[in-house]
Amino acid sequence: LAWRIRLPAIVVLIAAGLVLGPVTGVIHLGLSQAELTELIGLGVAIILFEGGMDLKVGEFRRVGRGIGRLTVVAPPLAWLLGSLAAHLIGGLSWPVAVVLGAILVVTGPTVILPLLRQARLKKESASLLKWEGIVNDPVGVLLAVLSFQYLTIGGGWAQTAAGVGAAIGAAAVLGGAGGWLVGSLYRRGEVPEHLKAPILMVLVLVVYRASNLVQHEAGLLSVTLMGLVIGNMQLVEREVLQHFKEHLTVVLVSVLFIVIPSQLQATHFQLLDWRILGFVLAVLLIVRPLSIMCATVGAPISRQDKMLLAWIAPRGIVAAATAGIFGPALEAAGYADAERLLPITFVVIITTVLAHGLTIAPLGRRLGLAARSDNGLLIVGATGWTRALATALKKLKIDVLLVDGAYHRLRDARMAGIDVYYGEILSEHTEHTLEAQHLSHVLCATENDFYNALVCKALGRRFGRHRTFQIATPQASGEELRRLTLQQRGYFAFDPTANFVVLHERLEEGWTVQATKLSPQFGWTELTERLGTPVEQWLLLGAITPSGAFRLYSKEQRFKPVTGWTAIYFAPGRTRDAGAQSS
């Protein structure tokens, strides 16, 4: 539903939790607070492990100094400023204010990653927000734990420093070394393929629990580091493992964001007043901008990225879960105003998710950090035919990017003014540097049919399987059982007979890529009658809708251009008619 109505999913989930909990009383778990806290912790551990697997060292090499400022310098500043705002503006006692300030340091992958997909940000901007969100989650939780221990248990700075050391040690040994050991066993085939994903899930929970035994709430730091190590070990099965975790994370996030708010009572919201509203505004307009501004002084981050970072900081599931843990604990320690901790956190979550989720895309575009739309074609393979197609689409004002791993094959395209990218499309370098968020379709058109299939398989998840195409293989029109299966390739573009050899032979015969805008006087019927027999005498390549949306044609995904559309086709010479608008 959230995807359909283009709202951040967390907003719909929290609304469902509030309706099913405090409003109607439908959800009644029958668990004690301690049991619920343990279950929430296990779910959050898996979520953060999946987030850690998504962090790539290659990204850190490009924007490492900026990430260092956001994950080392910014959290203490945000903690200090947030604590001051909670006490001076929100009216909370110092212990509760300090714990709340630590909790709100986190942003979180559960909200940042969906927003990044929605906003189509450039690689560097997306990397900064992603690393900050994933790394700062366990950091914020650890700050909250140490604050709680210092203020309620005592022991002074020595014990607090020892707690930090214990957490880092547990993360290094159980998370770092443990992750490397698991990856090594998987690489050597010590675990059967069908058990790798479920065993990894169990090991994540074991590392989380064991780390918590060493130092309270150190488990989140350990599993994040474990995910980072395994995700960067270049395991053959990394993609399969990551997909399994991502699917599990979607379910866990959906459950937790309904269950946690469902535990609130109507009386909780009666504790909120105008001072809390002032605190929330301070978090948005003072704490975040000021902490980013101070942390990034002299950092190699562009002014536009600093402005984006100063505003975008939605809080997520970790903030909610941590507040659910420490609210009751602080109440038990004798701080009466701690009962306001959880409702305040939810107000901040809802406010930041709405404010930042609805503005990240327009702000990114305003700052020149995001694509205005995804409407264009990524072509893999620079040949005479793909240059002809790219030139025609460029004249129609459709974005085109031509990619090839051989520099000399791109020379003619560059001379023709076509945007090109030199590099292997499947390389890690390309994954981190290729800016293709403004493109909507992929066409793999090299001479190697099986390489085309491999690229389609790799890019299908990013662009959508329904938008990933390859030119047909020579055997495609033969016996069905001898074909490359659809699950192992992209959709065949245009027609199953339009393979590499056929397209280039017709190009040499004088066929050209042409376009005609259909009108009431000269529509699709008139155009097809003029062109002749489909496939034999002309070939439909795609179309542009009246709104300007580009679509690539395939017999496996048919559509019929109508009045107002611009049909793009491959045909001999030029097709002209008094009622047609051709280019």
Side-chain angles (χ1 to χ4, degrees):
L1 175 63
W3 175 77
R4 279 287 179 188
I5 63 179
R6 295 185 178 276
L7 270 180
I10 185 176
V11 176
V12 178
L13 293 168
I14 290 177
L18 293 175
V19 170
L20 296 173
V23 176
T24 64
V26 171
I27 292 181
H28 180 69
L29 300 179
L31 297 174
S32 68
Q33 186 63 45
E35 292 169 331
L36 180 60
T37 297
E38 287 294 333
L39 289 176
I40 291 172
L42 295 175
V44 172
I46 293 174
I47 292 169
L48 284 185
F49 173 80
E50 189 270 325
M53 285 192 72
D54 200 45
L55 297 176
K56 300 294 183 290
V57 174
E59 292 178 331
F60 188 81
R61 293 193 189 105
R62 288 189 302 114
V63 290
R65 289 181 63 189
I67 292 171
R69 296 293 189 93
L70 294 174
T71 57
V72 177
V73 181
L77 289 172
W79 180 27
L80 173 62
L81 295 172
S83 301
L84 288 171
H87 178 68
L88 300 177
I89 301 175
L92 299 176
S93 62
W94 271 118
V96 178
V98 170
V99 172
L100 179 59
I103 290 172
L104 297 183
V105 164
V106 306
T107 49
T110 56
V111 285
I112 282 293
L113 297 182
L115 293 187
L116 294 180
R117 285 192 290 268
Q118 168 192 331
R120 295 188 291 272
L121 291 179
K122 290 183 176 179
K123 295 281 188 180
E124 185 165 329
S125 305
S127 294
L128 289 170
L129 284 168
K130 182 174 70 174
W131 274 81
E132 182 200 21
I134 295 172
V135 174
N136 282 2
D137 260 7
V139 171
V141 173
L142 188 58
L143 289 176
V145 170
L146 296 175
S147 302
F148 175 78
Q149 290 182 341
Y150 180 80
L151 294 167
T152 60
I153 300 174
W157 291 107
Q159 186 169 332
T160 302
V164 172
I168 293 174
V173 175
L174 296 172
W180 178 84
L181 178 60
V182 171
S184 299
L185 292 174
Y186 279 22
R187 182 178 287 162
R188 294 204 302 266
E190 300 292 341
V191 178
E193 292 295 328
H194 68 287
L195 289 179
K196 286 182 177 178
I199 284 178
L200 184 58
M201 182 188 72
V202 173
L203 291 176
V204 168
L205 299 181
V206 169
V207 167
Y208 168 75
R209 183 60 180 161
S211 299
N212 280 348
L213 294 176
V214 176
Q215 168 61 37
H216 187 51
E217 297 303 331
L220 297 183
L221 184 62
S222 296
V223 296
T224 303
L225 182 58
M226 184 180 180
L228 176 63
V229 170
I230 292 177
N232 285 276
M233 286 189 69
Q234 302 301 324
L235 299 176
V236 174
E237 55 277 278
R238 183 183 69 180
E239 187 175 350
V240 175
L241 295 174
Q242 194 161 0
H243 289 176
F244 175 81
K245 294 296 182 184
E246 285 176 355
H247 298 157
L248 188 58
T249 294
V250 169
V251 176
L252 289 172
V253 168
S254 302
V255 170
L256 293 178
F257 265 124
I258 292 175
V259 167
I260 295 175
S262 73
Q263 304 309 300
L264 291 169
Q265 304 296 325
T267 54
H268 283 120
F269 294 99
Q270 296 172 3
L271 301 171
L272 306 178
D273 53 24
W274 66 268
R275 300 191 68 173
I276 300 305
L277 174 61
F279 167 69
V280 173
L281 292 175
V283 169
L284 285 171
L285 305 176
I286 299 174
V287 174
R288 175 66 177 185
L290 194 56
S291 60
I292 291 297
M293 184 178 68
C294 294
T296 58
V297 170
I301 302 176
S302 68
R303 185 173 65 88
Q304 292 83 356
D305 276 322
K306 290 180 181 180
M307 293 174 67
L308 183 71
L309 289 165
W311 173 243
I312 302 299
R315 275 60 173 188
I317 190 67
V318 175
T322 309
I325 293 170
F326 290 112
L330 284 168
E331 280 188 75
Y335 300 103
D337 57 341
E339 62 180 340
R340 305 168 74 188
L341 194 64
L342 188 58
I344 291 173
T345 303
F346 268 106
V347 171
V348 173
I349 290 172
I350 294 170
T351 303
T352 55
V353 167
L354 278 174
H356 300 154
L358 297 176
T359 59
I360 184 171
L363 179 60
R365 291 193 294 267
R366 185 73 177 268
L367 294 173
L369 300 175
R372 295 197 171 275
S373 62
D374 54 340
N375 186 41
L377 181 63
L378 173 68
I379 304 176
V380 180
T383 65
W385 188 85
T386 57
R387 285 197 303 271
L389 176 61
T391 301
L393 292 178
K394 185 180 178 183
K395 290 180 180 178
L396 294 168
K397 302 190 184 307
I398 298 297
D399 288 330
V400 184
L401 181 63
L402 188 57
V403 179
D404 203 292
Y407 190 76
H408 68 276
R409 289 200 290 261
L410 293 170
R411 183 176 58 245
D412 291 341
R414 282 192 301 106
M415 297 293 289
I418 299 168
D419 291 335
V420 301
Y421 179 89
Y422 166 56
E424 168 53 55
I425 190 68
L426 297 177
S427 70
E428 186 175 355
H429 179 267
T430 298
E431 180 184 351
H432 297 321
T433 59
L434 179 64
E435 300 287 358
Q437 63 273 8
H438 60 298
L439 305 174
S440 56
H441 292 71
V442 177
L443 173 62
C444 298
T446 72
E447 191 173 7
N448 188 324
D449 300 312
F450 302 104
Y451 176 76
N452 293 339
L454 181 64
V455 173
C456 285
K457 185 76 172 174
L459 298 185
R461 190 165 176 273
R462 177 176 172 184
F463 285 85
R465 308 291 179 191
H466 63 297
R467 291 178 167 187
T468 309
F469 301 84
Q470 68 178 91
I471 55 175
T473 61
Q475 298 83 9
S477 57
E479 185 182 347
E480 178 70 26
L481 291 177
R482 295 182 182 272
R483 295 184 185 181
L484 192 65
T485 63
L486 180 59
Q487 291 74 26
Q488 301 299 327
R489 61 170 172 85
Y491 287 103
F492 286 143
F494 321 134
D495 186 87
T497 62
N499 57 55
F500 184 91
V501 174
V502 169
L503 291 174
H504 284 80
E505 283 180 350
R506 292 180 177 179
L507 183 69
E508 291 178 359
E509 292 169 3
W511 285 37
T512 59
V513 179
Q514 305 171 43
T516 296
K517 185 171 183 179
L518 305 180
S519 65
Q521 296 77 28
F522 191 83
W524 179 246
T525 302
E526 291 77 13
L527 178 63
T528 54
E529 288 177 354
R530 171 56 78 77
L531 290 172
T533 307
V535 182
E536 293 181 12
Q537 295 179 288
W538 66 282
L539 191 66
L540 180 61
L541 304 181
I544 303 172
T545 68
S547 64
F550 171 73
R551 294 185 64 180
L552 200 68
Y553 181 77
S554 168
K555 276 200 171 179
E556 295 175 320
Q557 284 196 30
R558 299 171 184 261
F559 62 81
K560 181 180 178 180
V562 295
T563 299
W565 286 43
T566 298
I568 305 169
Y569 50 91
F570 193 40
R574 285 288 183 188
T575 303
R576 297 190 180 278
D577 190 277
Q581 301 176 31
S582 300
S583 60

